[in-house]
Amino acid sequence: MNLLNGAEFRRLETAILAAGQRQQVISNNLANVDTPHFKRSDVLFEELLEEVIKEGANPIVGRRTESRHLPIGYDVAVPQPLIVTDETSVMNNNLNNVDMDREASLMAKNQLLYNAYVQQVNHEIRMLRVGIDGRV
């Protein structure tokens, strides 16, 4: 039995990897803030996951005879993070589109997301430990 191989853990694992990849992309954007003709990039993950969840990956849904029953048949495929480059905007006269303030705020937001994802993984593991050991 793979306790750490469920859909929740796969989504959290991919979200953590996406946040790490986003940190690298933002760092690259900041490193090239003065490079002529450089176009900033971003990592899409949360948006892709939201689309997949809205579409519903499994059309077979179990019938709930009691409101306290858990839904059956809802397992969502986890999309892979996607790096996209913004080719349309211009920020400087040298055709660079990196805004240092925006990138710094995106980096802070990404750090908060990463911390939240790691806290959620720690919580899930603690709950598994409580279920196995029977104590907190």
Side-chain angles (χ1 to χ4, degrees):
M1 172 163 56
N2 292 327
L3 294 175
L4 301 178
N5 199 23
E8 176 77 17
F9 272 67
R10 286 195 317 265
R11 285 191 291 270
L12 285 170
E13 177 187 20
T14 309
I16 289 172
L17 293 173
Q21 190 175 22
R22 186 177 294 117
Q23 188 77 9
Q24 292 175 343
V25 167
I26 293 171
S27 297
N28 184 51
N29 291 344
L30 286 170
N32 288 289
V33 71
D34 292 324
T35 304
H37 302 281
F38 180 81
K39 299 299 181 185
R40 68 174 301 281
S41 296
D42 199 4
V43 175
L44 297 179
F45 173 71
E46 291 80 8
E47 300 86 351
L48 298 175
L49 182 61
E50 184 178 341
E51 286 178 19
V52 169
I53 288 173
K54 282 182 181 177
E55 291 173 4
N58 191 348
I60 301 172
V61 179
R63 191 180 83 166
R64 293 173 66 184
T65 58
E66 172 65 40
S67 63
R68 293 175 290 175
H69 289 169
L70 296 174
I72 298 172
Y74 185 72
D75 188 16
V76 174
V78 180
Q80 292 303 307
L82 178 66
I83 298 177
V84 294
T85 303
D86 180 8
E87 299 284 348
T88 59
S89 64
V90 175
M91 187 71 187
N92 300 326
N93 289 336
N94 64 3
L95 302 179
N96 184 315
N97 66 351
V98 178
D99 180 4
M100 195 166 192
D101 294 331
R102 180 172 187 256
E103 298 297 326
S105 67
L106 288 173
M107 186 175 277
K109 176 184 173 185
N110 187 57
Q111 184 63 48
L112 290 172
L113 279 173
Y114 180 85
N115 290 342
Y117 296 146
V118 169
Q119 285 178 352
Q120 185 63 33
V121 167
N122 288 336
H123 173 74
E124 296 292 329
I125 291 173
R126 259 193 316 276
M127 292 296 103
L128 284 173
R129 176 173 268 155
V130 167
I132 293 170
D133 293 344
R135 55 189 152 91
V136 179

